[in-house]
Amino acid sequence: MTIPALLGKNLKLPVIAAPMFLVSGPELVMATCRAGAIGTFPALNQRTTEGYAQWLDTIQSGLGPNDAAFGVNLIVHKTNPRLSADLDVTVRHQVPLVVTSLGTAREVIDAVHAYGGLVFHDVTTIAHARKAAERGVDGLILVCAGAGGHAGTRNPFAFVHEVCQFFGGTIVLSGCLSTGRDVAAELLMGADFAYMGTRFINTSESRAVAEYRQMIIASQSDDVIYTPAISGIPANFLNASLSACGLDPKSLPEKLAVDIGGELNHEARAWKDIWSAGQGAGAIRDVLPTPELVGRLARELHAAWSGLPARLSQFAEPLTEGGA
């Protein structure tokens, strides 16, 4: 396990509630941290840099010495006009964890490291993982097939195994993780944290509208489509939300260009009513207060872990090296 001391303090569950565009806000972040997991949110969920700073003030004043750490997501893409200003605010507030997406930049990593913060980077391929590792990130978030929002196509077993061969930092696994048993599985695979998004959409503290939550409850993995048509980046969305917006999931228009600034200027029009979710939606059948969800996940994790010896006992004793 490679959990940095900065994130291990008051941690009761190795789970990071992923930063979800238009869904994660101070309420969800604080509830998650108070429950003993790590809460995060995208800086761009606030429409201005000034608003982003206000949210950080709210979170930092609302969390106490017994709560877990929190983090923010910065979009490191050339079309994000706020990156420099938001980074200045992040440094001023000394945010413990910064999750970077859509690019790695040495100036971001160096700025966060200068005050003792950590940088975890989203990756969907081995090539991206190697590049981020070479630039000095502290953790890699392996976004696997079936993850909500921007996702990759890699199988998690292959992805974790290959990354562990060259990266010695913190490994976070993302994709279809909805239960405490899933958390136990990612720990056995060699990851350090489970990265959960869709499961935290269906919490009382998320900013998702009731219809969004109900659509997740009604969905199975077959109801999720992987497409670049919405933002220019391959991502997973709920078919029913596409249909409700007048789009045919079987015949979507192409969108080849990524324009973060353009989406912001239009109040994220492409994201307001087209709802993202991962294939793990099929395991979600309720809406819970965040403390109750974290408690359930912890109980499920411990039950799965404590049940391993009994499962293993039905097999013969492990063979010695060489098969003797």
Short mmCIF file of all heavy atoms in Angstrom, two decimals, residues 188-259:
data_model
loop_
_atom_site.label_atom_id
_atom_site.label_comp_id
_atom_site.label_asym_id
_atom_site.label_seq_id
_atom_site.Cartn_x
_atom_site.Cartn_y
_atom_site.Cartn_z
N LEU A 188 -6.81 -5.95 -3.45
CA LEU A 188 -6.14 -7.21 -3.75
C LEU A 188 -5.37 -7.13 -5.07
O LEU A 188 -4.34 -7.78 -5.24
CB LEU A 188 -7.17 -8.34 -3.83
CG LEU A 188 -7.73 -8.83 -2.49
CD1 LEU A 188 -8.88 -9.80 -2.72
CD2 LEU A 188 -6.64 -9.49 -1.66
N MET A 189 -5.85 -6.31 -6.00
CA MET A 189 -5.18 -6.16 -7.29
C MET A 189 -3.90 -5.36 -7.19
O MET A 189 -3.07 -5.39 -8.10
CB MET A 189 -6.13 -5.48 -8.28
CG MET A 189 -7.29 -6.37 -8.72
SD MET A 189 -8.53 -5.42 -9.63
CE MET A 189 -7.58 -4.91 -11.06
N GLY A 190 -3.73 -4.61 -6.10
CA GLY A 190 -2.52 -3.83 -5.92
C GLY A 190 -2.72 -2.33 -5.95
O GLY A 190 -1.76 -1.57 -5.86
N ALA A 191 -3.97 -1.88 -6.08
CA ALA A 191 -4.26 -0.44 -6.03
C ALA A 191 -4.36 0.01 -4.58
O ALA A 191 -4.52 -0.80 -3.67
CB ALA A 191 -5.53 -0.13 -6.79
N ASP A 192 -4.27 1.33 -4.39
CA ASP A 192 -4.31 1.89 -3.04
C ASP A 192 -5.65 2.53 -2.69
O ASP A 192 -6.05 2.54 -1.53
CB ASP A 192 -3.21 2.94 -2.88
CG ASP A 192 -1.84 2.38 -3.17
OD1 ASP A 192 -1.42 1.46 -2.43
OD2 ASP A 192 -1.17 2.83 -4.12
N PHE A 193 -6.31 3.10 -3.68
CA PHE A 193 -7.59 3.75 -3.48
C PHE A 193 -8.58 3.31 -4.55
O PHE A 193 -8.21 3.04 -5.70
CB PHE A 193 -7.47 5.28 -3.61
CG PHE A 193 -6.90 5.98 -2.42
CD1 PHE A 193 -5.58 6.40 -2.40
CD2 PHE A 193 -7.71 6.27 -1.32
CE1 PHE A 193 -5.06 7.08 -1.32
CE2 PHE A 193 -7.18 6.95 -0.22
CZ PHE A 193 -5.86 7.35 -0.22
N ALA A 194 -9.85 3.28 -4.17
CA ALA A 194 -10.94 3.15 -5.13
C ALA A 194 -11.44 4.55 -5.45
O ALA A 194 -11.62 5.38 -4.54
CB ALA A 194 -12.07 2.30 -4.55
N TYR A 195 -11.67 4.82 -6.71
CA TYR A 195 -12.13 6.13 -7.19
C TYR A 195 -13.58 5.95 -7.61
O TYR A 195 -13.87 5.30 -8.62
CB TYR A 195 -11.26 6.52 -8.38
CG TYR A 195 -11.15 7.99 -8.72
CD1 TYR A 195 -10.63 8.90 -7.81
CD2 TYR A 195 -11.49 8.45 -9.99
CE1 TYR A 195 -10.45 10.23 -8.16
CE2 TYR A 195 -11.31 9.78 -10.34
CZ TYR A 195 -10.80 10.67 -9.42
OH TYR A 195 -10.62 11.99 -9.77
N MET A 196 -14.51 6.49 -6.84
CA MET A 196 -15.94 6.27 -7.07
C MET A 196 -16.63 7.55 -7.49
O MET A 196 -16.56 8.55 -6.77
CB MET A 196 -16.61 5.72 -5.81
CG MET A 196 -16.26 4.30 -5.46
SD MET A 196 -17.30 3.71 -4.09
CE MET A 196 -16.81 1.99 -4.01
N GLY A 197 -17.30 7.51 -8.61
CA GLY A 197 -18.06 8.66 -9.07
C GLY A 197 -19.55 8.39 -9.05
O GLY A 197 -20.29 8.96 -8.25
N THR A 198 -20.00 7.48 -9.90
CA THR A 198 -21.44 7.23 -10.06
C THR A 198 -22.11 6.90 -8.74
O THR A 198 -23.23 7.38 -8.47
CB THR A 198 -21.65 6.09 -11.07
OG1 THR A 198 -20.96 6.39 -12.29
CG2 THR A 198 -23.13 5.92 -11.38
N ARG A 199 -21.46 6.11 -7.89
CA ARG A 199 -22.06 5.75 -6.61
C ARG A 199 -22.33 7.00 -5.75
O ARG A 199 -23.35 7.06 -5.03
CB ARG A 199 -21.14 4.78 -5.87
CG ARG A 199 -21.56 4.34 -4.47
CD ARG A 199 -22.89 3.63 -4.39
NE ARG A 199 -24.01 4.54 -4.12
CZ ARG A 199 -25.21 4.16 -3.73
NH1 ARG A 199 -25.48 2.88 -3.54
NH2 ARG A 199 -26.15 5.05 -3.51
N PHE A 200 -21.48 8.02 -5.86
CA PHE A 200 -21.66 9.23 -5.05
C PHE A 200 -22.62 10.23 -5.70
O PHE A 200 -23.03 11.19 -5.04
CB PHE A 200 -20.31 9.88 -4.76
CG PHE A 200 -19.57 9.25 -3.62
CD1 PHE A 200 -18.78 8.12 -3.82
CD2 PHE A 200 -19.68 9.76 -2.33
CE1 PHE A 200 -18.11 7.52 -2.77
CE2 PHE A 200 -19.01 9.17 -1.26
CZ PHE A 200 -18.22 8.03 -1.48
N ILE A 201 -22.98 10.01 -6.97
CA ILE A 201 -24.05 10.83 -7.55
C ILE A 201 -25.33 10.61 -6.76
O ILE A 201 -26.08 11.55 -6.46
CB ILE A 201 -24.28 10.48 -9.04
CG1 ILE A 201 -23.05 10.85 -9.87
CG2 ILE A 201 -25.52 11.20 -9.59
CD1 ILE A 201 -23.13 10.38 -11.32
N ASN A 202 -25.57 9.36 -6.39
CA ASN A 202 -26.79 9.00 -5.67
C ASN A 202 -26.60 9.12 -4.17
O ASN A 202 -26.80 8.16 -3.40
CB ASN A 202 -27.23 7.59 -6.06
CG ASN A 202 -28.04 7.60 -7.35
OD1 ASN A 202 -27.81 8.41 -8.22
ND2 ASN A 202 -29.01 6.71 -7.45
N THR A 203 -26.19 10.32 -3.75
CA THR A 203 -26.15 10.68 -2.34
C THR A 203 -26.99 11.92 -2.12
O THR A 203 -27.22 12.70 -3.06
CB THR A 203 -24.71 10.97 -1.86
OG1 THR A 203 -24.16 12.02 -2.64
CG2 THR A 203 -23.83 9.73 -1.96
N SER A 204 -27.43 12.12 -0.92
CA SER A 204 -28.27 13.27 -0.60
C SER A 204 -27.54 14.59 -0.81
O SER A 204 -28.16 15.61 -1.11
CB SER A 204 -28.73 13.19 0.86
OG SER A 204 -29.38 11.97 1.12
N GLU A 205 -26.22 14.57 -0.67
CA GLU A 205 -25.44 15.81 -0.73
C GLU A 205 -24.95 16.17 -2.13
O GLU A 205 -24.37 17.23 -2.32
CB GLU A 205 -24.23 15.71 0.22
CG GLU A 205 -24.58 15.62 1.70
CD GLU A 205 -24.94 14.21 2.13
OE1 GLU A 205 -24.87 13.28 1.29
OE2 GLU A 205 -25.28 14.02 3.31
N SER A 206 -25.14 15.29 -3.10
CA SER A 206 -24.69 15.63 -4.45
C SER A 206 -25.62 16.66 -5.06
O SER A 206 -26.75 16.85 -4.60
CB SER A 206 -24.65 14.37 -5.34
OG SER A 206 -25.88 14.14 -5.98
N ARG A 207 -25.17 17.32 -6.11
CA ARG A 207 -25.95 18.36 -6.76
C ARG A 207 -26.76 17.81 -7.95
O ARG A 207 -27.33 18.61 -8.71
CB ARG A 207 -25.04 19.50 -7.20
CG ARG A 207 -24.39 20.19 -6.01
CD ARG A 207 -23.73 21.50 -6.35
NE ARG A 207 -23.53 22.27 -5.13
CZ ARG A 207 -23.51 23.59 -5.06
NH1 ARG A 207 -23.67 24.31 -6.16
NH2 ARG A 207 -23.32 24.22 -3.91
N ALA A 208 -26.80 16.52 -8.08
CA ALA A 208 -27.59 15.91 -9.15
C ALA A 208 -29.08 16.10 -8.88
O ALA A 208 -29.53 16.00 -7.74
CB ALA A 208 -27.27 14.42 -9.25
N VAL A 209 -29.84 16.36 -9.93
CA VAL A 209 -31.29 16.50 -9.77
C VAL A 209 -31.89 15.12 -9.53
O VAL A 209 -31.29 14.09 -9.84
CB VAL A 209 -31.92 17.16 -11.02
CG1 VAL A 209 -31.40 18.58 -11.19
CG2 VAL A 209 -31.66 16.33 -12.27
N ALA A 210 -33.10 15.11 -9.00
CA ALA A 210 -33.75 13.84 -8.64
C ALA A 210 -33.92 12.93 -9.85
O ALA A 210 -33.77 11.70 -9.75
CB ALA A 210 -35.11 14.13 -7.99
N GLU A 211 -34.21 13.51 -11.01
CA GLU A 211 -34.41 12.70 -12.22
C GLU A 211 -33.12 11.98 -12.62
O GLU A 211 -33.17 10.85 -13.12
CB GLU A 211 -34.89 13.60 -13.37
CG GLU A 211 -36.28 14.17 -13.18
CD GLU A 211 -36.30 15.42 -12.30
OE1 GLU A 211 -35.20 15.86 -11.86
OE2 GLU A 211 -37.39 15.96 -12.07
N TYR A 212 -32.00 12.63 -12.42
CA TYR A 212 -30.70 12.03 -12.72
C TYR A 212 -30.48 10.81 -11.82
O TYR A 212 -30.12 9.71 -12.29
CB TYR A 212 -29.63 13.09 -12.49
CG TYR A 212 -28.22 12.78 -12.91
CD1 TYR A 212 -27.23 13.79 -12.79
CD2 TYR A 212 -27.83 11.56 -13.42
CE1 TYR A 212 -25.92 13.56 -13.19
CE2 TYR A 212 -26.51 11.32 -13.80
CZ TYR A 212 -25.57 12.32 -13.68
OH TYR A 212 -24.27 12.09 -14.07
N ARG A 213 -30.73 10.97 -10.56
CA ARG A 213 -30.54 9.87 -9.61
C ARG A 213 -31.46 8.71 -9.94
O ARG A 213 -31.05 7.54 -9.89
CB ARG A 213 -30.79 10.37 -8.18
CG ARG A 213 -29.81 11.43 -7.71
CD ARG A 213 -30.28 12.04 -6.42
NE ARG A 213 -29.37 13.06 -5.90
CZ ARG A 213 -29.68 13.88 -4.90
NH1 ARG A 213 -30.87 13.81 -4.33
NH2 ARG A 213 -28.79 14.77 -4.49
N GLN A 214 -32.70 9.01 -10.27
CA GLN A 214 -33.66 7.95 -10.58
C GLN A 214 -33.27 7.23 -11.86
O GLN A 214 -33.48 6.02 -11.99
CB GLN A 214 -35.07 8.53 -10.71
CG GLN A 214 -35.71 8.88 -9.37
CD GLN A 214 -35.75 7.68 -8.43
OE1 GLN A 214 -35.23 7.71 -7.31
NE2 GLN A 214 -36.36 6.60 -8.87
N MET A 215 -32.70 7.94 -12.81
CA MET A 215 -32.26 7.30 -14.05
C MET A 215 -31.13 6.30 -13.77
O MET A 215 -31.07 5.23 -14.38
CB MET A 215 -31.81 8.35 -15.06
CG MET A 215 -31.59 7.80 -16.46
SD MET A 215 -31.18 9.10 -17.67
CE MET A 215 -32.76 9.96 -17.79
N ILE A 216 -30.23 6.65 -12.85
CA ILE A 216 -29.18 5.72 -12.46
C ILE A 216 -29.77 4.47 -11.83
O ILE A 216 -29.38 3.34 -12.15
CB ILE A 216 -28.18 6.40 -11.51
CG1 ILE A 216 -27.33 7.43 -12.28
CG2 ILE A 216 -27.28 5.37 -10.81
CD1 ILE A 216 -26.41 8.24 -11.41
N ILE A 217 -30.73 4.66 -10.94
CA ILE A 217 -31.37 3.52 -10.27
C ILE A 217 -32.04 2.59 -11.28
O ILE A 217 -32.03 1.37 -11.14
CB ILE A 217 -32.40 4.03 -9.24
CG1 ILE A 217 -31.67 4.67 -8.05
CG2 ILE A 217 -33.32 2.90 -8.76
CD1 ILE A 217 -32.58 5.36 -7.06
N ALA A 218 -32.60 3.17 -12.33
CA ALA A 218 -33.32 2.39 -13.33
C ALA A 218 -32.41 1.77 -14.39
O ALA A 218 -32.88 1.01 -15.24
CB ALA A 218 -34.37 3.27 -14.01
N SER A 219 -31.11 2.07 -14.36
CA SER A 219 -30.21 1.67 -15.43
C SER A 219 -29.42 0.42 -15.11
O SER A 219 -29.13 0.10 -13.95
CB SER A 219 -29.24 2.82 -15.74
OG SER A 219 -29.91 3.94 -16.24
N GLN A 220 -29.05 -0.27 -16.18
CA GLN A 220 -28.10 -1.38 -16.14
C GLN A 220 -26.89 -0.97 -16.98
O GLN A 220 -26.87 0.08 -17.62
CB GLN A 220 -28.74 -2.65 -16.72
CG GLN A 220 -30.02 -3.08 -16.04
CD GLN A 220 -29.79 -3.64 -14.65
OE1 GLN A 220 -28.67 -4.04 -14.31
NE2 GLN A 220 -30.83 -3.66 -13.83
N SER A 221 -25.87 -1.83 -16.99
CA SER A 221 -24.67 -1.50 -17.76
C SER A 221 -24.98 -1.34 -19.25
O SER A 221 -24.33 -0.54 -19.94
CB SER A 221 -23.59 -2.56 -17.55
OG SER A 221 -24.06 -3.85 -17.92
N ASP A 222 -25.97 -2.07 -19.77
CA ASP A 222 -26.34 -1.95 -21.18
C ASP A 222 -26.95 -0.59 -21.51
O ASP A 222 -27.07 -0.24 -22.69
CB ASP A 222 -27.34 -3.05 -21.57
CG ASP A 222 -26.67 -4.40 -21.74
OD1 ASP A 222 -25.43 -4.45 -21.79
OD2 ASP A 222 -27.39 -5.42 -21.83
N ASP A 223 -27.34 0.16 -20.49
CA ASP A 223 -27.97 1.46 -20.71
C ASP A 223 -26.96 2.60 -20.74
O ASP A 223 -27.33 3.78 -20.74
CB ASP A 223 -29.01 1.73 -19.61
CG ASP A 223 -30.10 0.68 -19.60
OD1 ASP A 223 -30.61 0.36 -20.69
OD2 ASP A 223 -30.45 0.19 -18.51
N VAL A 224 -25.66 2.26 -20.75
CA VAL A 224 -24.59 3.25 -20.77
C VAL A 224 -23.87 3.19 -22.11
O VAL A 224 -23.53 2.10 -22.59
CB VAL A 224 -23.58 2.99 -19.62
CG1 VAL A 224 -22.41 3.95 -19.69
CG2 VAL A 224 -24.29 3.10 -18.27
N ILE A 225 -23.65 4.34 -22.73
CA ILE A 225 -22.99 4.40 -24.03
C ILE A 225 -21.66 5.14 -23.92
O ILE A 225 -21.55 6.14 -23.20
CB ILE A 225 -23.89 5.08 -25.09
CG1 ILE A 225 -23.21 5.03 -26.47
CG2 ILE A 225 -24.21 6.51 -24.69
CD1 ILE A 225 -24.11 5.49 -27.60
N TYR A 226 -20.66 4.63 -24.62
CA TYR A 226 -19.32 5.22 -24.64
C TYR A 226 -19.14 5.96 -25.95
O TYR A 226 -19.17 5.36 -27.03
CB TYR A 226 -18.29 4.11 -24.50
CG TYR A 226 -16.84 4.54 -24.42
CD1 TYR A 226 -16.36 5.24 -23.32
CD2 TYR A 226 -15.94 4.20 -25.43
CE1 TYR A 226 -15.03 5.60 -23.23
CE2 TYR A 226 -14.61 4.55 -25.35
CZ TYR A 226 -14.15 5.25 -24.24
OH TYR A 226 -12.82 5.61 -24.16
N THR A 227 -18.98 7.29 -25.90
CA THR A 227 -18.92 8.08 -27.12
C THR A 227 -18.14 9.38 -26.92
O THR A 227 -18.16 9.96 -25.83
CB THR A 227 -20.36 8.44 -27.59
OG1 THR A 227 -20.28 9.29 -28.73
CG2 THR A 227 -21.14 9.14 -26.49
N PRO A 228 -17.47 9.88 -27.97
CA PRO A 228 -16.81 11.18 -27.92
C PRO A 228 -17.72 12.30 -28.41
O PRO A 228 -17.30 13.46 -28.49
CB PRO A 228 -15.62 11.00 -28.88
CG PRO A 228 -16.15 10.07 -29.91
CD PRO A 228 -17.08 9.12 -29.19
N ALA A 229 -18.97 11.98 -28.75
CA ALA A 229 -19.84 12.93 -29.44
C ALA A 229 -20.22 14.14 -28.58
O ALA A 229 -20.56 15.20 -29.12
CB ALA A 229 -21.12 12.23 -29.91
N ILE A 230 -20.18 14.02 -27.27
CA ILE A 230 -20.68 15.10 -26.42
C ILE A 230 -19.62 16.17 -26.16
O ILE A 230 -19.87 17.36 -26.31
CB ILE A 230 -21.20 14.54 -25.08
CG1 ILE A 230 -22.22 13.42 -25.34
CG2 ILE A 230 -21.81 15.66 -24.25
CD1 ILE A 230 -23.37 13.83 -26.23
N SER A 231 -18.40 15.75 -25.79
CA SER A 231 -17.37 16.72 -25.43
C SER A 231 -16.13 16.64 -26.30
O SER A 231 -15.20 17.43 -26.12
CB SER A 231 -16.95 16.52 -23.97
OG SER A 231 -16.28 15.27 -23.82
N GLY A 232 -16.09 15.69 -27.23
CA GLY A 232 -14.89 15.50 -28.03
C GLY A 232 -13.94 14.50 -27.42
O GLY A 232 -12.95 14.10 -28.04
N ILE A 233 -14.20 14.07 -26.18
CA ILE A 233 -13.39 13.08 -25.48
C ILE A 233 -14.27 11.88 -25.19
O ILE A 233 -15.40 12.05 -24.71
CB ILE A 233 -12.84 13.65 -24.16
CG1 ILE A 233 -12.06 14.94 -24.41
CG2 ILE A 233 -11.95 12.63 -23.46
CD1 ILE A 233 -11.74 15.70 -23.16
N PRO A 234 -13.83 10.65 -25.47
CA PRO A 234 -14.66 9.47 -25.20
C PRO A 234 -15.08 9.42 -23.73
O PRO A 234 -14.27 9.54 -22.82
CB PRO A 234 -13.73 8.30 -25.55
CG PRO A 234 -12.78 8.86 -26.55
CD PRO A 234 -12.54 10.28 -26.09
N ALA A 235 -16.38 9.27 -23.52
CA ALA A 235 -16.93 9.27 -22.17
C ALA A 235 -18.19 8.42 -22.14
O ALA A 235 -18.78 8.10 -23.19
CB ALA A 235 -17.25 10.69 -21.72
N ASN A 236 -18.61 8.04 -20.95
CA ASN A 236 -19.80 7.22 -20.77
C ASN A 236 -20.99 8.06 -20.32
O ASN A 236 -20.87 8.87 -19.39
CB ASN A 236 -19.53 6.11 -19.75
CG ASN A 236 -18.75 4.96 -20.35
OD1 ASN A 236 -19.15 4.39 -21.37
ND2 ASN A 236 -17.62 4.61 -19.74
N PHE A 237 -22.13 7.84 -20.98
CA PHE A 237 -23.35 8.58 -20.70
C PHE A 237 -24.55 7.64 -20.64
O PHE A 237 -24.52 6.54 -21.21
CB PHE A 237 -23.61 9.65 -21.78
CG PHE A 237 -22.52 10.67 -21.89
CD1 PHE A 237 -21.49 10.51 -22.80
CD2 PHE A 237 -22.52 11.79 -21.08
CE1 PHE A 237 -20.47 11.44 -22.90
CE2 PHE A 237 -21.50 12.74 -21.17
CZ PHE A 237 -20.48 12.56 -22.09
N LEU A 238 -25.60 8.09 -19.97
CA LEU A 238 -26.84 7.33 -19.89
C LEU A 238 -27.63 7.51 -21.19
O LEU A 238 -27.96 8.63 -21.57
CB LEU A 238 -27.67 7.79 -18.70
CG LEU A 238 -27.06 7.48 -17.32
CD1 LEU A 238 -27.82 8.24 -16.23
CD2 LEU A 238 -27.09 5.98 -17.04
N ASN A 239 -27.95 6.39 -21.83
CA ASN A 239 -28.71 6.44 -23.08
C ASN A 239 -30.01 7.23 -22.93
O ASN A 239 -30.39 8.01 -23.82
CB ASN A 239 -29.05 5.02 -23.54
CG ASN A 239 -27.90 4.36 -24.27
OD1 ASN A 239 -27.05 5.02 -24.84
ND2 ASN A 239 -27.88 3.04 -24.25
N ALA A 240 -30.69 7.02 -21.81
CA ALA A 240 -31.99 7.66 -21.63
C ALA A 240 -31.89 9.17 -21.60
O ALA A 240 -32.80 9.87 -22.07
CB ALA A 240 -32.64 7.15 -20.33
N SER A 241 -30.77 9.70 -21.08
CA SER A 241 -30.62 11.16 -21.05
C SER A 241 -30.36 11.71 -22.45
O SER A 241 -30.79 12.81 -22.78
CB SER A 241 -29.51 11.57 -20.08
OG SER A 241 -28.22 11.25 -20.59
N LEU A 242 -29.65 10.95 -23.28
CA LEU A 242 -29.44 11.36 -24.66
C LEU A 242 -30.77 11.41 -25.40
O LEU A 242 -31.07 12.37 -26.11
CB LEU A 242 -28.48 10.39 -25.36
CG LEU A 242 -27.04 10.37 -24.85
CD1 LEU A 242 -26.28 9.20 -25.48
CD2 LEU A 242 -26.33 11.66 -25.17
N SER A 243 -31.56 10.37 -25.22
CA SER A 243 -32.86 10.31 -25.89
C SER A 243 -33.77 11.45 -25.44
O SER A 243 -34.49 12.05 -26.25
CB SER A 243 -33.54 8.96 -25.62
OG SER A 243 -32.76 7.89 -26.13
N ALA A 244 -33.72 11.77 -24.15
CA ALA A 244 -34.54 12.86 -23.62
C ALA A 244 -34.16 14.21 -24.21
O ALA A 244 -34.99 15.13 -24.25
CB ALA A 244 -34.44 12.90 -22.09
N CYS A 245 -32.92 14.33 -24.68
CA CYS A 245 -32.46 15.57 -25.30
C CYS A 245 -32.63 15.55 -26.82
O CYS A 245 -32.09 16.43 -27.53
CB CYS A 245 -31.00 15.82 -24.94
SG CYS A 245 -30.74 16.25 -23.21
N GLY A 246 -33.32 14.54 -27.32
CA GLY A 246 -33.58 14.48 -28.75
C GLY A 246 -32.47 13.87 -29.57
O GLY A 246 -32.45 14.01 -30.80
N LEU A 247 -31.53 13.18 -28.91
CA LEU A 247 -30.42 12.54 -29.62
C LEU A 247 -30.66 11.04 -29.73
O LEU A 247 -31.19 10.42 -28.80
CB LEU A 247 -29.10 12.81 -28.89
CG LEU A 247 -28.67 14.27 -28.80
CD1 LEU A 247 -27.44 14.39 -27.89
CD2 LEU A 247 -28.35 14.83 -30.18
N ASP A 248 -30.27 10.48 -30.85
CA ASP A 248 -30.37 9.04 -31.05
C ASP A 248 -29.05 8.39 -30.64
O ASP A 248 -28.02 8.61 -31.30
CB ASP A 248 -30.66 8.74 -32.52
CG ASP A 248 -30.80 7.24 -32.79
OD1 ASP A 248 -30.63 6.44 -31.85
OD2 ASP A 248 -31.06 6.88 -33.96
N PRO A 249 -29.02 7.62 -29.56
CA PRO A 249 -27.75 7.01 -29.12
C PRO A 249 -27.08 6.16 -30.19
O PRO A 249 -25.87 5.97 -30.16
CB PRO A 249 -28.18 6.14 -27.92
CG PRO A 249 -29.43 6.79 -27.42
CD PRO A 249 -30.14 7.30 -28.65
N LYS A 250 -27.85 5.67 -31.16
CA LYS A 250 -27.28 4.83 -32.21
C LYS A 250 -26.76 5.64 -33.39
O LYS A 250 -26.14 5.11 -34.30
CB LYS A 250 -28.33 3.83 -32.70
CG LYS A 250 -28.79 2.84 -31.62
CD LYS A 250 -29.82 1.87 -32.18
CE LYS A 250 -30.26 0.88 -31.11
NZ LYS A 250 -31.28 -0.06 -31.64
N SER A 251 -27.02 6.94 -33.38
CA SER A 251 -26.58 7.79 -34.49
C SER A 251 -26.25 9.18 -33.97
O SER A 251 -26.99 10.14 -34.19
CB SER A 251 -27.67 7.86 -35.57
OG SER A 251 -27.25 8.65 -36.66
N LEU A 252 -25.13 9.29 -33.27
CA LEU A 252 -24.74 10.55 -32.66
C LEU A 252 -23.85 11.35 -33.60
O LEU A 252 -23.03 10.79 -34.33
CB LEU A 252 -23.99 10.29 -31.35
CG LEU A 252 -24.84 9.70 -30.21
CD1 LEU A 252 -23.94 9.28 -29.06
CD2 LEU A 252 -25.87 10.71 -29.72
N PRO A 253 -23.98 12.67 -33.58
CA PRO A 253 -23.12 13.51 -34.42
C PRO A 253 -21.68 13.47 -33.90
O PRO A 253 -21.44 13.27 -32.71
CB PRO A 253 -23.72 14.90 -34.25
CG PRO A 253 -24.38 14.86 -32.91
CD PRO A 253 -24.92 13.46 -32.77
N GLU A 254 -20.74 13.66 -34.80
CA GLU A 254 -19.34 13.67 -34.39
C GLU A 254 -18.96 15.01 -33.79
O GLU A 254 -19.40 16.06 -34.25
CB GLU A 254 -18.43 13.39 -35.60
CG GLU A 254 -18.51 11.96 -36.10
CD GLU A 254 -17.44 11.67 -37.12
OE1 GLU A 254 -16.54 12.52 -37.28
OE2 GLU A 254 -17.50 10.60 -37.75
N LYS A 255 -18.16 14.97 -32.73
CA LYS A 255 -17.56 16.17 -32.19
C LYS A 255 -16.09 15.85 -31.97
O LYS A 255 -15.75 15.07 -31.08
CB LYS A 255 -18.21 16.60 -30.87
CG LYS A 255 -17.59 17.87 -30.31
CD LYS A 255 -18.32 18.40 -29.10
CE LYS A 255 -17.67 19.70 -28.62
NZ LYS A 255 -18.34 20.29 -27.46
N LEU A 256 -15.26 16.42 -32.78
CA LEU A 256 -13.85 16.06 -32.77
C LEU A 256 -12.99 17.01 -31.95
O LEU A 256 -11.91 16.66 -31.51
CB LEU A 256 -13.32 16.00 -34.21
CG LEU A 256 -14.04 15.01 -35.13
CD1 LEU A 256 -13.44 15.06 -36.52
CD2 LEU A 256 -13.99 13.60 -34.58
N ALA A 257 -13.45 18.25 -31.76
CA ALA A 257 -12.64 19.24 -31.07
C ALA A 257 -13.03 19.35 -29.60
O ALA A 257 -14.21 19.29 -29.26
CB ALA A 257 -12.80 20.60 -31.74
N VAL A 258 -12.03 19.51 -28.75
CA VAL A 258 -12.26 19.73 -27.32
C VAL A 258 -12.13 21.23 -27.06
O VAL A 258 -11.14 21.84 -27.43
CB VAL A 258 -11.23 18.96 -26.47
CG1 VAL A 258 -11.48 19.22 -24.99
CG2 VAL A 258 -11.30 17.47 -26.78
N ASP A 259 -13.15 21.83 -26.44
CA ASP A 259 -13.12 23.27 -26.16
C ASP A 259 -13.71 23.52 -24.78
O ASP A 259 -14.90 23.75 -24.63
CB ASP A 259 -13.91 24.02 -27.23
CG ASP A 259 -13.82 25.55 -27.06
OD1 ASP A 259 -13.12 25.99 -26.13
OD2 ASP A 259 -14.44 26.27 -27.84
#
